[in-house]
Amino acid sequence: MIPTEYTAEHYAEAAEKRRNESRPPFSIATMGSNFRRFNARVGVVFVLQHRLIRLLQWKTPSHTYAFLAIYFFICLDPSLLAALPFISLLLFLMVPTFIARPPPPPSALPSEPYSAHGQSIAPPIEVKPVAELSREFFRNLRDLQNTMDDFSNAHDALIRKIGPLTNFSDERLSSGVYCFFLALSALLFLTARLFPWRLIFLYHGYLLFALTHPTLQPYLLRSASAGSFAAKEKILASRFQNFTDNAFILDDPPETREIEIFELQRRDSPSSEWIPWLFSTSPYEPLCSSRIAGQRPTGTRFFEDVHPPEGWEFRGKKWEVDLGTEWVQERCITGVEVETEGERWVFDLEGVREGEYEWKRRRWVREVVRKVLV
């Protein structure tokens, strides 16, 4: 399920992908100008937030009862949601703006009936940004300040609750959470259509408003101060922790692999001495593509400069010569002579192409272990 090339760096680089070169870069002047423009226009958001809070707090019970009635019909027939945006547009935008522009009042003479015709007595309402340094501007600043504080507190509280469960800092606990949600997802995938979702949403929506009713607040505060909710939460967390400790055994050894490096030596002629050349990841056999193309082998001159792959570290203290010759057959290498004893060199056969050195190589191996990121 998880790509093998995925690393922790991929997670850290996610924020970098938000960059959009077509957008203006950061600027203090632009930030200040945009903030003032935003604050002058954000008042409608806080009005909606304030009205929602008043609904939850039962400040005007008739409004809350009306909302619960609408919620009741939507839960029974969710298709009514399609009409809800248009009804809201009519009731909360167009009707108030029309009422602000009524026709002239009826005449005092009984012989003249009331007429809905005529010139409106008020100009149309236009939504304009509030003036800077006005009372509304500072009211928006206050609400924006408090909203940022609420968001930060909610964000930190959510991270404190969700983080330890999902970031595998405790592998047993996170493994238990993963298996629980995996099983729940599979169960819902098969049985979700069997649940009475309309009644479920209706029940929980009414329960939320019931818990915020002023008559229940003293009892809830008294229960919270007594610590009954926190005690039950700790009991559940302790039981789940005990279950994961017993159900998941994560004492497997760290992942290890064997890496290889080839020591290459060359000489000018059969009568000359072998010269240590370099350590390469390729054996540079006679028929390899780079050698046929006339390219020189690549690598490092000294063993100390050979490093493990990224994300891994050496396990053993030193490299060891591979005393087997299976790697020659596995790579289908031809045109070489294998030394079956001694230092296990693999020589080029006689008849080296004109103008080319003669090469020999041997394979060194070493174990690496995956790094543990703390």
mmCIF file with all atom_site columns, all heavy atoms in Angstrom, residues 125-141:
data_model
loop_
_atom_site.group_PDB
_atom_site.id
_atom_site.type_symbol
_atom_site.label_atom_id
_atom_site.label_alt_id
_atom_site.label_comp_id
_atom_site.label_asym_id
_atom_site.label_entity_id
_atom_site.label_seq_id
_atom_site.pdbx_PDB_ins_code
_atom_site.Cartn_x
_atom_site.Cartn_y
_atom_site.Cartn_z
_atom_site.occupancy
_atom_site.B_iso_or_equiv
_atom_site.pdbx_formal_charge
_atom_site.auth_seq_id
_atom_site.auth_comp_id
_atom_site.auth_asym_id
_atom_site.auth_atom_id
_atom_site.pdbx_PDB_model_num
ATOM 1   N N   . ILE A 1 125 ? -29.907 48.919 -0.693 1.00 0.00 ? 125 ILE A N   1
ATOM 2   C CA  . ILE A 1 125 ? -28.816 48.606 0.241  1.00 0.00 ? 125 ILE A CA  1
ATOM 3   C C   . ILE A 1 125 ? -27.626 48.033 -0.524 1.00 0.00 ? 125 ILE A C   1
ATOM 4   O O   . ILE A 1 125 ? -27.789 47.112 -1.328 1.00 0.00 ? 125 ILE A O   1
ATOM 5   C CB  . ILE A 1 125 ? -29.295 47.604 1.307  1.00 0.00 ? 125 ILE A CB  1
ATOM 6   C CG1 . ILE A 1 125 ? -30.396 48.228 2.160  1.00 0.00 ? 125 ILE A CG1 1
ATOM 7   C CG2 . ILE A 1 125 ? -28.142 47.143 2.170  1.00 0.00 ? 125 ILE A CG2 1
ATOM 8   C CD1 . ILE A 1 125 ? -30.963 47.280 3.195  1.00 0.00 ? 125 ILE A CD1 1
ATOM 9   N N   . GLU A 1 126 ? -26.488 48.570 -0.307 1.00 0.00 ? 126 GLU A N   1
ATOM 10  C CA  . GLU A 1 126 ? -25.260 48.074 -0.916 1.00 0.00 ? 126 GLU A CA  1
ATOM 11  C C   . GLU A 1 126 ? -24.303 47.652 0.191  1.00 0.00 ? 126 GLU A C   1
ATOM 12  O O   . GLU A 1 126 ? -24.106 48.386 1.170  1.00 0.00 ? 126 GLU A O   1
ATOM 13  C CB  . GLU A 1 126 ? -24.604 49.148 -1.781 1.00 0.00 ? 126 GLU A CB  1
ATOM 14  C CG  . GLU A 1 126 ? -25.446 49.559 -2.987 1.00 0.00 ? 126 GLU A CG  1
ATOM 15  C CD  . GLU A 1 126 ? -24.730 50.584 -3.848 1.00 0.00 ? 126 GLU A CD  1
ATOM 16  O OE1 . GLU A 1 126 ? -23.548 50.877 -3.551 1.00 0.00 ? 126 GLU A OE1 1
ATOM 17  O OE2 . GLU A 1 126 ? -25.343 51.089 -4.807 1.00 0.00 ? 126 GLU A OE2 1
ATOM 18  N N   . VAL A 1 127 ? -23.735 46.475 0.026  1.00 0.00 ? 127 VAL A N   1
ATOM 19  C CA  . VAL A 1 127 ? -22.765 45.974 0.995  1.00 0.00 ? 127 VAL A CA  1
ATOM 20  C C   . VAL A 1 127 ? -21.426 46.626 0.698  1.00 0.00 ? 127 VAL A C   1
ATOM 21  O O   . VAL A 1 127 ? -20.810 46.370 -0.345 1.00 0.00 ? 127 VAL A O   1
ATOM 22  C CB  . VAL A 1 127 ? -22.649 44.435 0.927  1.00 0.00 ? 127 VAL A CB  1
ATOM 23  C CG1 . VAL A 1 127 ? -21.634 43.936 1.937  1.00 0.00 ? 127 VAL A CG1 1
ATOM 24  C CG2 . VAL A 1 127 ? -24.006 43.787 1.155  1.00 0.00 ? 127 VAL A CG2 1
ATOM 25  N N   . LYS A 1 128 ? -21.008 47.479 1.579  1.00 0.00 ? 128 LYS A N   1
ATOM 26  C CA  . LYS A 1 128 ? -19.757 48.208 1.400  1.00 0.00 ? 128 LYS A CA  1
ATOM 27  C C   . LYS A 1 128 ? -18.795 47.872 2.534  1.00 0.00 ? 128 LYS A C   1
ATOM 28  O O   . LYS A 1 128 ? -19.220 47.573 3.658  1.00 0.00 ? 128 LYS A O   1
ATOM 29  C CB  . LYS A 1 128 ? -20.014 49.721 1.395  1.00 0.00 ? 128 LYS A CB  1
ATOM 30  C CG  . LYS A 1 128 ? -20.899 50.202 0.248  1.00 0.00 ? 128 LYS A CG  1
ATOM 31  C CD  . LYS A 1 128 ? -21.093 51.700 0.317  1.00 0.00 ? 128 LYS A CD  1
ATOM 32  C CE  . LYS A 1 128 ? -21.969 52.198 -0.835 1.00 0.00 ? 128 LYS A CE  1
ATOM 33  N NZ  . LYS A 1 128 ? -22.160 53.670 -0.765 1.00 0.00 ? 128 LYS A NZ  1
ATOM 34  N N   . PRO A 1 129 ? -17.494 47.900 2.245  1.00 0.00 ? 129 PRO A N   1
ATOM 35  C CA  . PRO A 1 129 ? -16.539 47.695 3.343  1.00 0.00 ? 129 PRO A CA  1
ATOM 36  C C   . PRO A 1 129 ? -16.612 48.840 4.331  1.00 0.00 ? 129 PRO A C   1
ATOM 37  O O   . PRO A 1 129 ? -16.882 49.985 3.968  1.00 0.00 ? 129 PRO A O   1
ATOM 38  C CB  . PRO A 1 129 ? -15.184 47.665 2.616  1.00 0.00 ? 129 PRO A CB  1
ATOM 39  C CG  . PRO A 1 129 ? -15.405 48.379 1.329  1.00 0.00 ? 129 PRO A CG  1
ATOM 40  C CD  . PRO A 1 129 ? -16.827 48.095 0.936  1.00 0.00 ? 129 PRO A CD  1
ATOM 41  N N   . VAL A 1 130 ? -16.397 48.514 5.578  1.00 0.00 ? 130 VAL A N   1
ATOM 42  C CA  . VAL A 1 130 ? -16.456 49.547 6.612  1.00 0.00 ? 130 VAL A CA  1
ATOM 43  C C   . VAL A 1 130 ? -15.250 50.461 6.473  1.00 0.00 ? 130 VAL A C   1
ATOM 44  O O   . VAL A 1 130 ? -14.193 50.071 5.946  1.00 0.00 ? 130 VAL A O   1
ATOM 45  C CB  . VAL A 1 130 ? -16.501 48.907 8.016  1.00 0.00 ? 130 VAL A CB  1
ATOM 46  C CG1 . VAL A 1 130 ? -17.724 48.033 8.160  1.00 0.00 ? 130 VAL A CG1 1
ATOM 47  C CG2 . VAL A 1 130 ? -15.230 48.099 8.288  1.00 0.00 ? 130 VAL A CG2 1
ATOM 48  N N   . ALA A 1 131 ? -15.411 51.674 6.936  1.00 0.00 ? 131 ALA A N   1
ATOM 49  C CA  . ALA A 1 131 ? -14.325 52.649 6.856  1.00 0.00 ? 131 ALA A CA  1
ATOM 50  C C   . ALA A 1 131 ? -13.222 52.294 7.838  1.00 0.00 ? 131 ALA A C   1
ATOM 51  O O   . ALA A 1 131 ? -13.480 51.802 8.943  1.00 0.00 ? 131 ALA A O   1
ATOM 52  C CB  . ALA A 1 131 ? -14.866 54.057 7.139  1.00 0.00 ? 131 ALA A CB  1
ATOM 53  N N   . GLU A 1 132 ? -11.975 52.516 7.416  1.00 0.00 ? 132 GLU A N   1
ATOM 54  C CA  . GLU A 1 132 ? -10.854 52.257 8.311  1.00 0.00 ? 132 GLU A CA  1
ATOM 55  C C   . GLU A 1 132 ? -10.911 53.202 9.512  1.00 0.00 ? 132 GLU A C   1
ATOM 56  O O   . GLU A 1 132 ? -11.325 54.361 9.402  1.00 0.00 ? 132 GLU A O   1
ATOM 57  C CB  . GLU A 1 132 ? -9.531  52.432 7.568  1.00 0.00 ? 132 GLU A CB  1
ATOM 58  C CG  . GLU A 1 132 ? -9.299  51.376 6.493  1.00 0.00 ? 132 GLU A CG  1
ATOM 59  C CD  . GLU A 1 132 ? -7.908  51.463 5.907  1.00 0.00 ? 132 GLU A CD  1
ATOM 60  O OE1 . GLU A 1 132 ? -7.049  52.111 6.532  1.00 0.00 ? 132 GLU A OE1 1
ATOM 61  O OE2 . GLU A 1 132 ? -7.682  50.892 4.824  1.00 0.00 ? 132 GLU A OE2 1
ATOM 62  N N   . LEU A 1 133 ? -10.493 52.679 10.645 1.00 0.00 ? 133 LEU A N   1
ATOM 63  C CA  . LEU A 1 133 ? -10.459 53.400 11.923 1.00 0.00 ? 133 LEU A CA  1
ATOM 64  C C   . LEU A 1 133 ? -11.868 53.721 12.438 1.00 0.00 ? 133 LEU A C   1
ATOM 65  O O   . LEU A 1 133 ? -12.008 54.516 13.377 1.00 0.00 ? 133 LEU A O   1
ATOM 66  C CB  . LEU A 1 133 ? -9.640  54.685 11.823 1.00 0.00 ? 133 LEU A CB  1
ATOM 67  C CG  . LEU A 1 133 ? -8.194  54.513 11.322 1.00 0.00 ? 133 LEU A CG  1
ATOM 68  C CD1 . LEU A 1 133 ? -7.482  55.860 11.294 1.00 0.00 ? 133 LEU A CD1 1
ATOM 69  C CD2 . LEU A 1 133 ? -7.432  53.535 12.188 1.00 0.00 ? 133 LEU A CD2 1
ATOM 70  N N   . SER A 1 134 ? -12.893 53.101 11.844 1.00 0.00 ? 134 SER A N   1
ATOM 71  C CA  . SER A 1 134 ? -14.242 53.280 12.363 1.00 0.00 ? 134 SER A CA  1
ATOM 72  C C   . SER A 1 134 ? -14.499 52.268 13.482 1.00 0.00 ? 134 SER A C   1
ATOM 73  O O   . SER A 1 134 ? -13.701 51.365 13.742 1.00 0.00 ? 134 SER A O   1
ATOM 74  C CB  . SER A 1 134 ? -15.275 53.092 11.248 1.00 0.00 ? 134 SER A CB  1
ATOM 75  O OG  . SER A 1 134 ? -15.225 51.755 10.767 1.00 0.00 ? 134 SER A OG  1
ATOM 76  N N   . ARG A 1 135 ? -15.647 52.426 14.154 1.00 0.00 ? 135 ARG A N   1
ATOM 77  C CA  . ARG A 1 135 ? -15.985 51.514 15.239 1.00 0.00 ? 135 ARG A CA  1
ATOM 78  C C   . ARG A 1 135 ? -16.157 50.085 14.725 1.00 0.00 ? 135 ARG A C   1
ATOM 79  O O   . ARG A 1 135 ? -15.706 49.136 15.347 1.00 0.00 ? 135 ARG A O   1
ATOM 80  C CB  . ARG A 1 135 ? -17.263 51.987 15.924 1.00 0.00 ? 135 ARG A CB  1
ATOM 81  C CG  . ARG A 1 135 ? -17.725 51.089 17.054 1.00 0.00 ? 135 ARG A CG  1
ATOM 82  C CD  . ARG A 1 135 ? -18.978 51.627 17.700 1.00 0.00 ? 135 ARG A CD  1
ATOM 83  N NE  . ARG A 1 135 ? -18.763 52.954 18.261 1.00 0.00 ? 135 ARG A NE  1
ATOM 84  C CZ  . ARG A 1 135 ? -19.719 53.677 18.854 1.00 0.00 ? 135 ARG A CZ  1
ATOM 85  N NH1 . ARG A 1 135 ? -20.945 53.193 18.946 1.00 0.00 ? 135 ARG A NH1 1
ATOM 86  N NH2 . ARG A 1 135 ? -19.450 54.875 19.343 1.00 0.00 ? 135 ARG A NH2 1
ATOM 87  N N   . GLU A 1 136 ? -16.787 49.932 13.548 1.00 0.00 ? 136 GLU A N   1
ATOM 88  C CA  . GLU A 1 136 ? -16.973 48.602 12.988 1.00 0.00 ? 136 GLU A CA  1
ATOM 89  C C   . GLU A 1 136 ? -15.642 47.966 12.598 1.00 0.00 ? 136 GLU A C   1
ATOM 90  O O   . GLU A 1 136 ? -15.470 46.751 12.714 1.00 0.00 ? 136 GLU A O   1
ATOM 91  C CB  . GLU A 1 136 ? -17.896 48.676 11.770 1.00 0.00 ? 136 GLU A CB  1
ATOM 92  C CG  . GLU A 1 136 ? -19.331 49.023 12.073 1.00 0.00 ? 136 GLU A CG  1
ATOM 93  C CD  . GLU A 1 136 ? -19.515 50.522 12.345 1.00 0.00 ? 136 GLU A CD  1
ATOM 94  O OE1 . GLU A 1 136 ? -18.546 51.275 12.139 1.00 0.00 ? 136 GLU A OE1 1
ATOM 95  O OE2 . GLU A 1 136 ? -20.623 50.927 12.761 1.00 0.00 ? 136 GLU A OE2 1
ATOM 96  N N   . PHE A 1 137 ? -14.720 48.812 12.128 1.00 0.00 ? 137 PHE A N   1
ATOM 97  C CA  . PHE A 1 137 ? -13.399 48.276 11.747 1.00 0.00 ? 137 PHE A CA  1
ATOM 98  C C   . PHE A 1 137 ? -12.696 47.672 12.961 1.00 0.00 ? 137 PHE A C   1
ATOM 99  O O   . PHE A 1 137 ? -12.143 46.573 12.892 1.00 0.00 ? 137 PHE A O   1
ATOM 100 C CB  . PHE A 1 137 ? -12.557 49.409 11.144 1.00 0.00 ? 137 PHE A CB  1
ATOM 101 C CG  . PHE A 1 137 ? -11.254 48.957 10.563 1.00 0.00 ? 137 PHE A CG  1
ATOM 102 C CD1 . PHE A 1 137 ? -11.183 48.465 9.270  1.00 0.00 ? 137 PHE A CD1 1
ATOM 103 C CD2 . PHE A 1 137 ? -10.080 49.028 11.307 1.00 0.00 ? 137 PHE A CD2 1
ATOM 104 C CE1 . PHE A 1 137 ? -9.984  48.056 8.727  1.00 0.00 ? 137 PHE A CE1 1
ATOM 105 C CE2 . PHE A 1 137 ? -8.875  48.625 10.773 1.00 0.00 ? 137 PHE A CE2 1
ATOM 106 C CZ  . PHE A 1 137 ? -8.830  48.129 9.482  1.00 0.00 ? 137 PHE A CZ  1
ATOM 107 N N   . PHE A 1 138 ? -12.726 48.384 14.092 1.00 0.00 ? 138 PHE A N   1
ATOM 108 C CA  . PHE A 1 138 ? -12.087 47.861 15.306 1.00 0.00 ? 138 PHE A CA  1
ATOM 109 C C   . PHE A 1 138 ? -12.883 46.700 15.895 1.00 0.00 ? 138 PHE A C   1
ATOM 110 O O   . PHE A 1 138 ? -12.298 45.810 16.532 1.00 0.00 ? 138 PHE A O   1
ATOM 111 C CB  . PHE A 1 138 ? -11.916 48.986 16.331 1.00 0.00 ? 138 PHE A CB  1
ATOM 112 C CG  . PHE A 1 138 ? -10.807 49.938 15.999 1.00 0.00 ? 138 PHE A CG  1
ATOM 113 C CD1 . PHE A 1 138 ? -11.073 51.172 15.426 1.00 0.00 ? 138 PHE A CD1 1
ATOM 114 C CD2 . PHE A 1 138 ? -9.484  49.586 16.234 1.00 0.00 ? 138 PHE A CD2 1
ATOM 115 C CE1 . PHE A 1 138 ? -10.048 52.042 15.115 1.00 0.00 ? 138 PHE A CE1 1
ATOM 116 C CE2 . PHE A 1 138 ? -8.448  50.458 15.939 1.00 0.00 ? 138 PHE A CE2 1
ATOM 117 C CZ  . PHE A 1 138 ? -8.724  51.690 15.358 1.00 0.00 ? 138 PHE A CZ  1
ATOM 118 N N   . ARG A 1 139 ? -14.187 46.665 15.676 1.00 0.00 ? 139 ARG A N   1
ATOM 119 C CA  . ARG A 1 139 ? -14.967 45.525 16.127 1.00 0.00 ? 139 ARG A CA  1
ATOM 120 C C   . ARG A 1 139 ? -14.571 44.269 15.339 1.00 0.00 ? 139 ARG A C   1
ATOM 121 O O   . ARG A 1 139 ? -14.451 43.181 15.897 1.00 0.00 ? 139 ARG A O   1
ATOM 122 C CB  . ARG A 1 139 ? -16.457 45.809 15.971 1.00 0.00 ? 139 ARG A CB  1
ATOM 123 C CG  . ARG A 1 139 ? -17.342 44.713 16.555 1.00 0.00 ? 139 ARG A CG  1
ATOM 124 C CD  . ARG A 1 139 ? -18.815 45.029 16.373 1.00 0.00 ? 139 ARG A CD  1
ATOM 125 N NE  . ARG A 1 139 ? -19.195 46.212 17.152 1.00 0.00 ? 139 ARG A NE  1
ATOM 126 C CZ  . ARG A 1 139 ? -19.667 47.328 16.631 1.00 0.00 ? 139 ARG A CZ  1
ATOM 127 N NH1 . ARG A 1 139 ? -19.815 47.437 15.323 1.00 0.00 ? 139 ARG A NH1 1
ATOM 128 N NH2 . ARG A 1 139 ? -19.993 48.351 17.405 1.00 0.00 ? 139 ARG A NH2 1
ATOM 129 N N   . ASN A 1 140 ? -14.340 44.437 14.044 1.00 0.00 ? 140 ASN A N   1
ATOM 130 C CA  . ASN A 1 140 ? -13.854 43.307 13.244 1.00 0.00 ? 140 ASN A CA  1
ATOM 131 C C   . ASN A 1 140 ? -12.472 42.853 13.696 1.00 0.00 ? 140 ASN A C   1
ATOM 132 O O   . ASN A 1 140 ? -12.171 41.654 13.716 1.00 0.00 ? 140 ASN A O   1
ATOM 133 C CB  . ASN A 1 140 ? -13.815 43.688 11.762 1.00 0.00 ? 140 ASN A CB  1
ATOM 134 C CG  . ASN A 1 140 ? -15.191 43.846 11.157 1.00 0.00 ? 140 ASN A CG  1
ATOM 135 O OD1 . ASN A 1 140 ? -16.187 43.451 11.760 1.00 0.00 ? 140 ASN A OD1 1
ATOM 136 N ND2 . ASN A 1 140 ? -15.253 44.421 9.971  1.00 0.00 ? 140 ASN A ND2 1
ATOM 137 N N   . LEU A 1 141 ? -11.626 43.830 14.051 1.00 0.00 ? 141 LEU A N   1
ATOM 138 C CA  . LEU A 1 141 ? -10.299 43.477 14.564 1.00 0.00 ? 141 LEU A CA  1
ATOM 139 C C   . LEU A 1 141 ? -10.405 42.659 15.846 1.00 0.00 ? 141 LEU A C   1
ATOM 140 O O   . LEU A 1 141 ? -9.696  41.667 16.032 1.00 0.00 ? 141 LEU A O   1
ATOM 141 C CB  . LEU A 1 141 ? -9.475  44.741 14.824 1.00 0.00 ? 141 LEU A CB  1
ATOM 142 C CG  . LEU A 1 141 ? -8.789  45.400 13.626 1.00 0.00 ? 141 LEU A CG  1
ATOM 143 C CD1 . LEU A 1 141 ? -8.080  46.665 14.089 1.00 0.00 ? 141 LEU A CD1 1
ATOM 144 C CD2 . LEU A 1 141 ? -7.785  44.449 12.992 1.00 0.00 ? 141 LEU A CD2 1
#
